[in-house]
Amino acid sequence: MARFKNNKKGRVAVKPIVKKNQGNVDHVTGDKIPKSFVFSRMKLPGSVKQLQMDLRKLMLPYTALSLKEKKRNTLRDFLNVSGPMGVTHFLMLSKTASALSLRVARTPQGPTLTFKIHQYSLASDIAQSQLRPRCPQDLFKTPPLIVLSGFGTQELHLKLATIMFQNIFPSIDINTVKLSTCQRLVLLNYNKDTKLIDFRHYSIRLQPVGVSRRIRKFVQNHQVPDLRNLQDVSDFVTKAGYGSESEGDEEAATVTLSSDLGRVNRSSTKSAVKLQEIGPRMTMQLVKVEEGLCSGGIIFSEYENVDEKNAKSNHEEDGDDSEEGEEGDNSEEEGEEDGEDMDEDLED
Amino acid sequence: MSTGEEGHMAVAERGTRKRRVGTKNGGKSKKKKLKTRPPSSDRFKLTMKDKKIFQKRARDYNSDEDDEDESTKPPEVTIREKIFSDANMGPNYDEIEDEEGSDPEDNSDGEDHGEIQSGITRFATDGCNAFRTAFKAIMKKTKGDDTLGPVLSAHKHLIAQKLAEEEAEKKAKGQARKAKHLVAEKGHVKPASYLDSHEKILIGVATKGVVKLFNAVNKAQHAQKGLNASRSKDAKVLKKRRKEAFFSELGKTSKTDSKAQNSSNSHEDEAPAWAPLRDNYMLANPKLKDWDKKQETSEGDDFAAMSGDESYED
């Protein structure tokens, strides 16, 4: 009896976790907020480790920024933690002598997408290549938007990838979203010919259109302008100065705002959308789709397909030996694909 | 007398010469002999008594000269230095030098007073001691670690061999590290220029997406301007409008799907159509909300029970 009582007590003690679980739900829309872990289960070389850190920053704010992995941590450990923490996605980096790969998995059941990273650049590399790298304070306080482009073909593994990436970030409700929270953008661009996916990460900036650069700067910077060379104050307003050459040509990149956004962008004025890259940058290829979480039947494998269809792309096949000998269970594949289709229908 | 004078003169000449040039020890001793012999024997006996005084004087006399003499001696010293340096006498060398410093003097004295034999005794006591300390110092030196030993010239080829070996080792190590680094950095590309054409295209695609989304947001939020979702009256109106918007979107989607270049964008367009419905459903229907909660709490309870059981098992 006493034991039973204690059991009840234990139940009470754990309640905070339950409350936390409710925190996983967006308080405006009521949607479940996806959370993610970015980790690796092996010792990574320095640059890849940096890439992992960049990916974590990209996944902010709903990710574990300072997640510590140990060598003896198995996937099951992360899975066990993910339940109470409400983590829905795993991003796993792994490095072999031949290739660097990123696995994106949904917890706890899967599926798992394995991408081979052909090329990557770190956020610091991107910042170094830029004249004026931009990083406002609260850039990483809101989740990024995601733009998927070129995935619209009828191939099912691409559809699955689309769904996966759409769900990895919180969905946007157009009726309630504040544009000031749209600070970042993740772009995934699928190239049909090379079968490569370009992964880019941009910061979004809005600038009023039709205002001279001087006045814009004056409003933005809170600084006393340099009027030494001017005869009259009116010159400051009327003189055109040198305009940015990219200002005129971007007619398509203008939006009309419904509400004020910052000091500069007022409602019902036109603003230009400017994107500036903040790394990381990756060029990757979808090589494998697994049914479960890093296990289970293989729904799709790039290298088998290449053999069968004799695709026009000329990838050099760096031997991923692990994939040989896992020839598909076709019946399972079909069933799974159907399931995915249904998922997508729900999604839309 | 004249001969005596001449002899004296000769002595004087020799003396001056010696004083000027600083002749070798042999010359010195000769001079001394000449100097002491001319006087008569009784005088010599007298001097025998004052031998020590003379000796002292002579020593003083010579000690002045010794400074000059040293200039003639350096080769000897340098040789010694060389020996010491070969034997790696580094730190102790000064000490030994100090001890040795008195040595040359004694030596010269010994030679000066060859007949008297006192110099030899001095050498036997003092000089031997100095030599002993020096020798001891050398023997004390432990150079066991160096495989090549103190005599370098004998191991010239060994040194070369060892250096070559080290070089090869270093090279191999460097190459291994380089290879490892190459493997680690495989695929890592540092963008040379910020905006190449491909990047511009990508930015264009992304911009298109953002503009589409923002316009949609603008359209949706413009309609509900001035309405407060928390007020029930406004909420009804909102609901109605959103429903309308949803159906209008539904009508549109078939067209956009046929275009369907940007699946994501189309999704973003459709999302509001679906989301408000879902949103309203969740907000408006408390039963559903509770159901959601209940499920989660039950899950949590299961988890709690499990954890509790575990703790008790422990």
Side-chain angles (χ1 to χ4, degrees):
Chain A
M1 284 301 284
R3 197 174 166 184
F4 185 67
K5 230 178 182 179
N6 279 338
N7 249 348
K8 265 193 174 173
K9 263 185 192 170
R11 211 181 281 176
V12 171
V14 180
K15 275 231 162 135
I17 292 181
V18 178
K19 278 196 174 167
K20 241 188 196 170
N21 260 342
Q22 284 176 345
N24 291 342
V25 176
D26 189 0
H27 62 276
V28 182
T29 56
D31 293 340
K32 204 180 178 197
I33 295 175
K35 299 188 177 183
S36 58
F37 273 164
V38 183
F39 61 92
S40 165
R41 278 161 53 219
M42 57 180 69
K43 197 171 179 293
L44 296 175
S47 55
V48 183
K49 203 154 203 176
Q50 196 56 48
L51 179 68
Q52 178 184 313
M53 203 59 215
D54 288 344
L55 275 177
R56 277 182 191 169
K57 276 188 97 175
L58 181 139
M59 298 302 292
L60 278 177
Y62 303 113
T63 190
L65 187 62
S66 46
L67 178 69
K68 295 266 189 300
E69 317 100 316
K70 279 179 185 167
K71 209 178 176 184
R72 65 163 185 269
N73 283 142
T74 59
L75 192 60
R76 186 141 294 283
D77 295 339
F78 290 105
L79 204 55
N80 285 341
V81 174
S82 74
M85 302 285 278
V87 173
T88 55
H89 289 84
F90 283 170
L91 275 76
M92 288 163 279
L93 276 169
S94 58
K95 167 89 186 161
T96 59
S98 62
L100 174 67
S101 67
L102 172 73
R103 277 183 293 180
V104 183
R106 218 194 130 80
T107 61
Q109 261 98 32
T112 309
L113 311 180
T114 306
F115 296 93
K116 183 178 166 191
I117 298 177
H118 287 256
Q119 287 183 348
Y120 66 94
S121 305
L122 305 177
S124 58
D125 299 332
I126 303 287
Q128 265 177 7
S129 73
Q130 289 170 352
L131 204 61
R132 267 178 246 278
R134 174 174 183 267
C135 188
Q137 279 177 349
D138 41 3
L139 190 63
F140 291 101
K141 283 181 181 162
T142 54
L145 312 175
I146 183 147
V147 172
L148 302 165
S149 162
F151 282 87
T153 52
Q154 298 306 310
E155 291 176 75
L156 289 166
H157 61 275
L158 289 178
K159 266 190 180 173
L160 185 58
T162 312
I163 293 162
M164 179 72 94
F165 280 112
Q166 276 168 358
N167 288 333
I168 217 166
F169 298 111
S171 61
I172 306 156
D173 178 18
I174 287 198
N175 290 305
T176 52
V177 72
K178 283 181 183 157
L179 287 188
S180 60
T181 61
C182 302
Q183 294 267 344
R184 294 183 292 140
L185 170 79
V186 172
L187 170 72
L188 285 158
N189 185 44
Y190 181 73
N191 190 333
K192 220 185 290 176
D193 301 328
T194 57
K195 291 196 174 178
L196 294 178
I197 300 171
D198 289 313
F199 183 101
R200 297 287 186 277
H201 185 208
Y202 299 106
S203 72
I204 302 172
R205 187 172 37 153
L206 288 175
Q207 275 183 357
V209 176
V211 183
S212 78
R213 177 189 157 85
R214 266 182 181 165
I215 290 173
R216 204 179 64 224
K217 291 278 170 210
F218 175 55
V219 176
Q220 272 173 342
N221 290 348
H222 305 269
Q223 278 171 358
V224 179
D226 182 13
L227 301 174
R228 273 180 301 181
N229 303 326
L230 304 175
Q231 300 295 325
D232 192 65
V233 179
S234 62
D235 287 353
F236 180 74
V237 183
T238 53
K239 226 177 188 178
Y242 56 93
S244 162
E245 71 280 352
S246 66
E247 219 159 83
D249 57 349
E250 300 271 334
E251 266 303 311
T254 56
V255 291
T256 315
L257 300 177
S258 60
S259 58
D260 293 1
L261 186 63
R263 280 159 47 81
V264 194
N265 299 291
R266 317 297 296 184
S267 62
S268 66
T269 58
K270 284 221 160 190
S271 295
V273 176
K274 302 254 173 185
L275 298 183
Q276 186 169 355
E277 186 165 8
I278 41 173
R281 178 193 287 188
M282 291 191 282
T283 306
M284 50 197 196
Q285 183 190 8
L286 182 60
V287 287
K288 197 163 67 165
V289 179
E290 280 164 301
E291 203 177 329
L293 183 66
C294 299
S295 60
I298 293 176
I299 300 169
F300 164 79
S301 178
E302 171 64 29
Y303 297 117
E304 284 172 28
N305 275 19
V306 166
D307 289 338
E308 285 166 19
K309 292 180 184 173
N310 192 19
K312 50 259 168 188
S313 61
N314 46 353
H315 296 302
E316 66 280 296
E317 290 179 50
D318 302 10
D320 278 49
D321 296 338
S322 62
E323 274 160 37
E324 311 304 319
E326 291 178 318
E327 308 279 328
D329 324 33
N330 285 327
S331 59
E332 257 183 63
E333 267 181 41
E334 280 166 18
E336 184 61 28
E337 278 162 7
D338 284 346
E340 293 307 328
D341 275 352
M342 279 170 70
D343 276 357
E344 213 210 355
D345 290 344
L346 278 178
E347 203 60 66
D348 288 342
Chain B
M1 285 292 283
S2 64
T3 54
E5 261 186 45
E6 267 188 306
H8 211 68
M9 283 280 281
V11 169
E13 256 187 75
R14 269 175 198 167
T16 51
R17 194 191 295 159
K18 187 208 150 197
R19 211 170 275 179
R20 243 183 275 130
V21 184
T23 52
K24 279 180 188 172
N25 293 336
K28 226 187 276 173
S29 64
K30 219 178 177 181
K31 181 212 97 184
K32 285 259 166 74
K33 278 172 199 167
L34 284 171
K35 207 178 183 182
T36 48
R37 264 175 199 172
S40 58
S41 58
D42 50 354
R43 246 175 150 185
F44 183 69
K45 275 166 194 170
L46 276 173
T47 55
M48 276 291 276
K49 279 175 185 174
D50 298 333
K51 189 185 77 180
K52 280 192 178 175
I53 300 168
F54 274 147
Q55 265 184 8
K56 208 176 181 185
R57 272 185 197 165
R59 214 184 301 153
D60 289 347
Y61 190 71
N62 283 336
S63 71
D64 282 346
E65 281 183 354
D66 270 341
D67 293 335
E68 289 175 29
D69 282 1
E70 269 176 12
S71 63
T72 59
K73 275 174 191 169
E76 204 185 346
V77 174
T78 50
I79 287 161
R80 199 173 291 154
E81 263 179 289
K82 217 178 185 178
I83 291 164
F84 285 150
S85 64
D86 276 354
N88 283 323
M89 287 288 297
N92 286 357
Y93 180 64
D94 292 339
E95 191 187 309
I96 286 149
E97 247 260 280
D98 287 344
E99 283 174 62
E100 296 278 297
S102 58
D103 221 335
E105 255 181 54
D106 297 337
N107 275 349
S108 68
D109 275 347
E111 273 177 58
D112 274 348
H113 308 280
E115 315 107 62
I116 303 156
Q117 301 281 317
S118 66
I120 292 166
T121 54
R122 284 182 73 81
F123 179 77
T125 55
D126 239 29
C128 221
N129 203 20
F131 180 73
R132 199 181 64 207
T133 50
F135 189 74
K136 264 187 181 172
I138 292 169
M139 294 309 285
K140 255 187 224 165
K141 277 278 161 193
T142 50
K143 288 296 287 180
D145 293 14
D146 194 4
T147 49
L148 293 176
V151 186
L152 300 178
S153 60
H155 295 276
K156 232 176 199 170
H157 64 286
L158 263 180
I159 292 173
Q161 207 177 317
K162 207 186 174 194
L163 282 178
E165 244 172 53
E166 268 175 17
E167 192 78 7
E169 220 169 83
K170 225 179 187 176
K171 223 176 192 178
K173 244 183 202 173
Q175 271 176 349
R177 201 183 298 152
K178 217 175 185 179
K180 204 179 163 190
H181 185 72
L182 265 181
V183 167
E185 290 286 304
K186 195 188 174 198
H188 188 185
V189 179
K190 291 186 180 174
S193 63
Y194 170 47
L195 277 181
D196 54 356
S197 58
H198 184 58
E199 294 304 316
K200 266 185 181 164
I201 290 168
L202 288 180
I203 283 186
V205 168
T207 311
K208 236 198 291 184
V210 173
V211 167
K212 236 176 183 178
L213 172 73
F214 278 23
N215 282 333
V217 167
N218 182 34
K219 215 168 138 192
Q221 292 188 353
H222 195 74
Q224 59 188 354
K225 230 177 189 180
L227 294 177
N228 193 354
S230 58
R231 274 197 293 172
S232 61
K233 201 176 162 191
D234 285 357
K236 264 184 195 168
V237 177
L238 270 181
K239 202 175 165 185
K240 205 176 164 190
R241 282 193 189 174
R242 282 176 185 175
K243 217 172 192 175
E244 279 169 18
F246 171 67
F247 282 120
S248 66
E249 281 294 330
L250 271 188
K252 230 203 278 178
T253 41
S254 56
K255 283 179 212 163
T256 50
D257 258 350
S258 62
K259 264 199 274 174
Q261 218 263 336
N262 289 0
S263 68
S264 70
N265 293 336
S266 66
H267 166 78
E268 274 163 7
D269 283 345
E270 286 159 33
W274 181 248
L277 246 187
R278 206 193 296 163
D279 174 25
N280 263 353
Y281 194 55
M282 297 295 270
L283 287 177
N285 200 342
K287 211 176 171 186
L288 231 183
K289 213 175 175 185
D290 277 351
W291 168 79
D292 194 19
K293 239 184 231 170
K294 238 182 226 165
Q295 193 195 24
E296 277 177 358
T297 52
S298 68
E299 272 177 21
D301 282 351
D302 284 347
F303 182 72
M306 272 173 67
S307 64
D309 282 346
E310 274 172 24
S311 66
Y312 283 116
E313 276 164 26
D314 287 343

